[in-house]
Amino acid sequence: NSFIPRTNTCGELRSAHVGQEVTLYGWIQYQRQGLFLVLRDFQGLTQIIIPQDEAHSHVRKLLSTAPVESVVRVTGIVSPRPPGQENPKMPTGEIEVKAETAEILNSCKKLPFEIKDFIKKSEALRMQYRYLDLRSCQLQRNLRLRSQMVMRMREYLCNLHGFVDVETPTLFKRTPGGAKEFLVPSREAGKFYSLPQSPQQFKQLLMVGGLDRYFQVARCYRDEGSRPDRQPEFTQIDIEMSFVDQAGIQRLIEGLLQYSWPEERGSIITPFPSLTYQEALADYGTDKPDTRFGMKIMDISDFLQRSNIHFVQDALSSPGGSVKAICIPQGVKYLQKKDLESLKESAKSQFNQEIVEIICKPDGRLKSLLTTFLDEKQQSEFIQALNLQVDDVVLLAAGEEKQVCSALGSLRLESADLLETAGLLLRDPAAFHFLWVVDFPLFLPKEENPTELESAHHPFTAPHPSDTSILYSDPTKARSQHYDLVLNGCEVGGGSIRIHRAEQQRFVLEKVLKEDSEVLSHLLEALEFGAPPHGGIALGLDRLISLLVGAPSIRDVIAFPKSFRGRDLMGNAPDYVPPEELEQYHIQVSWPLAEKEAKKS
């Protein structure tokens, strides 16, 4: 309440304040028959009693006729509520304020929707009137928790560990590889700036400059389709250190999260567990596994090696072939036949992978198309090998190992969704399971041309210390010093130890990735001037906060997000620019095409 005439917020008055004169400012959330109203501000609610005596007729008329969501100032006396009228659900439920004077600071016109969390509103409407949506309790809580957590992160990094907060440019040049970047025209004909997808090059250059420890709450940009966990502009907690190794970065981030973690969300235990990339794919079918529940992928290739099942033998006789399975606990009890068919269809349509279901019956025998190929002893061994219980359902897949794992990993998550919809709680929404995933491949084949390579993450990642020689002889087998931080099945951070020698960086760009190194000549030259070993990480702040508060989308933790299609529905951006304003940028737009695109959107 500093610097303003307000004596208290609407969420802080208690019985101890009875008898005091207070001045409150806020929005009218509710008004009943001219008798009382509920005043709301960022901190909570207070019940205001509207005076009924003639001496206060002006106040009565003012507050009784003011529309909901009007902004008012109320001065009055704090009083205890009459016996039996207390509201234990409200922090201020033991008191009320008897209004003495009031002022309507601004009246509210008819609302496009009610400002209540339980009122269903379309996301498009919420984003069109985002300034109204921001008044909701949930968004207020989300943004304030975000602010508090960022402040604690600053304390930990700057005050406790000597990091320097440095702002880096948002107008730069195109970076080879990675996500598509937004272009910004300049007044030089044919020349464009690019909005960086991260401050990657700048933070490395800061290490060359001897800054030693850098961090930034960085705005980043990617020109790609919006998804529930992705926005064209987003925020990272960006970090870089000199003379550090992978273990040092991991300890830093574990300490940072432990220090900044909100008390009301419980404590987090460090160190976080770790899996290699290969282990994650083998056990969970993904490099960002949700470890809150089991249902791991099991390799049963050896067990079925001696079976007479044709499709199994075909798979195992092929290079890289395997047979794997997941077990859905109590699947018979919780899943219907249509659910199992849906899972099989999903694997077929997304991964071109056939799935066979196996059910463990109450008599301890198996029900499946495969049982004709397995005698009783083999069935018993199968049940023991997979530790099956009555009513469990097994989903079995045979084929190329990576495809099989990817399909079963996806079915694992879909099965969990179905089980929880049917009433079986697998993933505790209040649990936070962090996991490091390490030892990623340094390069991957390009999807459009598998004979060419691309960086698994970005071209500045250093090879694993044990694989430095392999980088030059067989780069396809080289592992990287990249590490991802995963929370409840979502990637919330990623980083690496960087290449700090110019000759190795040039080799990666020119010989492995076939990129024009001239685009990065400034960085390559900087590495020749005594660049220290360095590494870093970036935490996705939007995604981290959305998981922390249980929001279905990162749009619920950003004050002014873009829509699913990357548009600002409130300000109607992007928008057209008159041709005369484009002339100074040497740009001409094909207006019929632009109008056609506008009609499509």
Side-chain angles (χ1 to χ4, degrees):
N1 302 308
S2 51
F3 312 117
I4 57 175
R6 177 178 67 199
T7 62
N8 301 88
T9 65
C10 294
E12 66 177 301
L13 295 176
R14 302 290 188 270
S15 297
H17 295 92
V18 168
Q20 295 181 15
E21 182 180 83
V22 295
T23 298
L24 308 178
Y25 288 76
W27 286 262
I28 298 175
Q29 175 151 311
Y30 175 76
Q31 192 265 113
R32 183 177 180 185
Q33 298 176 346
L35 299 175
F36 69 89
L37 59 83
V38 175
L39 196 65
R40 184 197 73 246
D41 68 7
F42 70 93
Q43 200 175 59
L45 308 168
T46 296
Q47 182 167 289
I48 307 295
I49 301 300
I50 301 173
Q52 303 298 310
D53 58 299
E54 194 60 35
H56 293 88
S57 59
H58 172 68
V59 176
R60 182 175 75 242
K61 182 179 179 182
L62 208 65
L63 296 180
S64 299
T65 58
V68 169
E69 289 302 310
S70 294
V71 187
V72 301
R73 174 194 59 77
V74 174
T75 297
I77 305 298
V78 182
S79 305
R81 292 199 186 190
Q85 293 186 23
E86 299 90 348
N87 186 348
K89 294 180 180 179
M90 284 175 65
T92 61
E94 294 181 351
I95 59 91
E96 57 195 15
V97 173
K98 294 182 177 178
E100 298 282 339
T101 64
E103 180 185 1
I104 307 298
L105 302 174
N106 206 340
S107 185
C108 181
K109 70 175 187 178
K110 183 176 172 58
L111 293 162
F113 53 79
E114 289 188 70
I115 315 296
K116 292 176 182 175
D117 286 334
F118 60 84
I119 299 292
K120 295 289 185 184
K121 299 148 309 232
S122 72
E123 188 171 60
L125 191 64
R126 289 177 58 202
M127 296 184 71
Q128 183 182 351
Y129 295 96
R130 189 62 168 184
Y131 45 84
L132 293 179
D133 197 34
L134 284 170
R135 295 181 189 176
S136 71
C137 295
Q138 189 59 60
L139 274 182
Q140 287 275 331
R141 281 196 295 268
N142 291 354
L143 293 177
R144 291 177 189 281
L145 184 142
R146 177 181 176 132
S147 173
Q148 291 161 11
M149 196 162 180
V150 169
M151 182 56 69
R152 294 282 288 171
M153 287 180 171
R154 287 185 187 277
E155 289 175 8
Y156 182 83
L157 293 169
C158 291
N159 298 349
L160 300 184
H161 294 288
F163 279 78
V164 184
D165 185 352
V166 181
E167 296 173 22
T168 54
T170 51
L171 289 178
F172 194 44
K173 64 189 290 186
R174 190 182 65 83
T175 304
K180 198 173 178 183
E181 295 172 333
F182 286 101
L183 298 178
V184 180
S186 75
R187 294 175 190 269
E188 295 186 58
K191 291 189 175 181
F192 292 80
Y193 294 106
S194 179
L195 299 182
Q197 49 192 293
S198 81
Q200 182 61 48
Q201 294 182 54
F202 290 111
K203 63 181 181 177
Q204 288 191 242
L205 292 169
L206 287 170
M207 297 304 102
V208 178
L211 218 69
D212 195 64
R213 296 183 172 200
Y214 142 93
F215 99 97
Q216 179 184 188
V217 182
R219 296 295 283 169
C220 305
Y221 308 88
R222 286 180 184 160
D223 186 10
E224 55 189 18
S226 188
R227 302 199 301 264
D229 61 348
R230 192 67 62 85
Q231 283 270 291
E233 51 182 338
F234 55 97
T235 306
Q236 290 181 173
I237 304 297
D238 202 49
I239 292 170
E240 198 79 4
M241 296 175 70
S242 295
F243 313 111
V244 72
D245 60 10
Q246 180 172 306
I249 293 287
Q250 290 174 329
R251 288 197 305 272
L252 168 74
I253 295 304
E254 289 167 357
L256 173 70
L257 289 170
Q258 202 168 40
Y259 184 87
S260 60
W261 200 254
E263 285 185 18
E264 62 271 21
R265 293 299 191 274
S267 59
I268 54 177
I269 299 169
T270 59
F272 301 153
S274 179
L275 285 177
T276 67
Y277 172 78
Q278 292 298 342
E279 288 170 339
L281 291 187
D283 289 348
Y284 299 98
T286 175
D287 60 5
K288 42 181 181 289
D290 188 342
T291 55
R292 287 176 296 173
F293 69 108
M295 289 175 59
K296 288 185 181 181
I297 298 170
M298 296 171 282
D299 192 330
I300 51 176
S301 303
D302 290 344
F303 176 79
L304 292 177
Q305 183 78 52
R306 59 187 185 276
S307 72
N308 296 319
I309 306 170
H310 296 301
F311 77 91
V312 166
Q313 294 305 321
D314 289 344
L316 293 178
S317 62
S318 302
S322 67
V323 186
K324 296 176 182 281
I326 59 170
C327 175
I328 305 175
Q330 298 292 290
V332 172
K333 179 180 177 182
Y334 289 98
L335 301 184
Q336 300 178 25
K337 186 175 181 181
K338 65 174 185 177
D339 295 326
L340 294 174
E341 291 302 319
S342 170
L343 291 171
K344 290 194 283 188
E345 177 55 36
S346 175
K348 181 67 176 173
S349 61
Q350 291 184 57
F351 302 96
N352 194 29
Q353 179 65 56
E354 296 288 349
I355 298 293
V356 176
E357 66 189 81
I358 304 168
I359 295 171
C360 186
K361 298 194 296 184
D363 61 4
R365 302 180 68 186
L366 299 177
K367 177 185 176 184
S368 172
L369 296 173
L370 302 185
T371 51
T372 54
F373 301 98
L374 300 173
D375 58 33
E376 285 194 19
K377 183 183 177 186
Q378 288 175 314
Q379 288 189 39
S380 177
E381 290 173 348
F382 185 89
I383 290 170
Q384 288 180 11
L386 274 67
N387 193 26
L388 297 186
Q389 307 297 317
V390 171
D391 287 344
D392 285 353
V393 174
V394 173
L395 300 181
L396 181 147
E400 191 273 322
E401 184 169 20
K402 187 174 180 182
Q403 176 180 303
V404 165
C405 287
S406 296
L408 289 176
S410 178
L411 294 185
R412 175 178 178 267
L413 296 175
E414 289 182 47
S415 301
D417 289 338
L418 290 169
L419 290 172
E420 291 186 334
T421 300
L424 179 63
L425 180 63
L426 281 181
R427 298 166 291 193
D428 182 356
F432 297 98
H433 285 216
F434 284 97
L435 173 74
W436 289 109
V437 180
V438 300
D439 290 357
F440 284 84
L442 190 55
F443 306 107
L444 292 171
K446 287 183 177 179
E447 281 190 25
E448 63 275 15
N449 186 359
T451 61
E452 296 182 2
L453 295 177
E454 62 184 359
S455 295
H457 290 93
H458 59 59
F460 313 114
T461 302
H464 192 282
S466 303
D467 294 355
T468 303
S469 60
I470 301 176
L471 169 65
Y472 298 96
S473 60
D474 190 355
T476 59
K477 294 180 180 176
R479 293 169 298 165
S480 71
Q481 291 192 72
H482 180 93
Y483 32 85
D484 275 352
L485 182 61
V486 177
L487 172 59
N488 294 356
C490 295
E491 181 193 332
V492 293
S496 66
I497 301 303
R498 323 299 185 188
I499 296 172
H500 70 282
R501 296 185 185 277
E503 63 273 14
Q504 191 177 77
Q505 184 66 79
R506 189 174 280 108
F507 176 83
V508 167
L509 290 169
E510 295 177 356
K511 303 301 183 184
V512 181
L513 301 178
K514 314 296 184 188
E515 295 277 5
D516 180 9
S517 64
E518 187 60 31
V519 180
L520 292 167
S521 59
H522 56 284
L523 178 62
L524 289 168
E525 186 176 21
L527 296 181
E528 293 175 330
F529 286 105
H534 58 281
I537 193 169
L539 297 179
L541 182 63
D542 309 310
R543 201 175 302 179
L544 179 63
I545 301 297
S546 69
L547 290 169
L548 195 55
V549 301
S553 163
I554 63 171
R555 291 188 280 275
D556 291 319
V557 299
I558 300 172
F560 297 101
K562 300 293 185 289
S563 73
F564 185 74
R565 295 183 180 275
R567 292 188 59 83
D568 179 345
L569 300 182
M570 182 181 65
N572 196 30
D575 203 357
Y576 295 116
V577 175
E580 57 270 21
E581 290 187 24
L582 292 175
E583 284 181 11
Q584 58 189 323
Y585 299 109
H586 314 282
I587 291 176
Q588 284 185 320
V589 176
S590 173
W591 288 103
L593 176 63
E595 288 166 2
K596 202 181 294 181
E597 290 298 320
K599 286 177 183 175
K600 280 185 190 175
S601 62

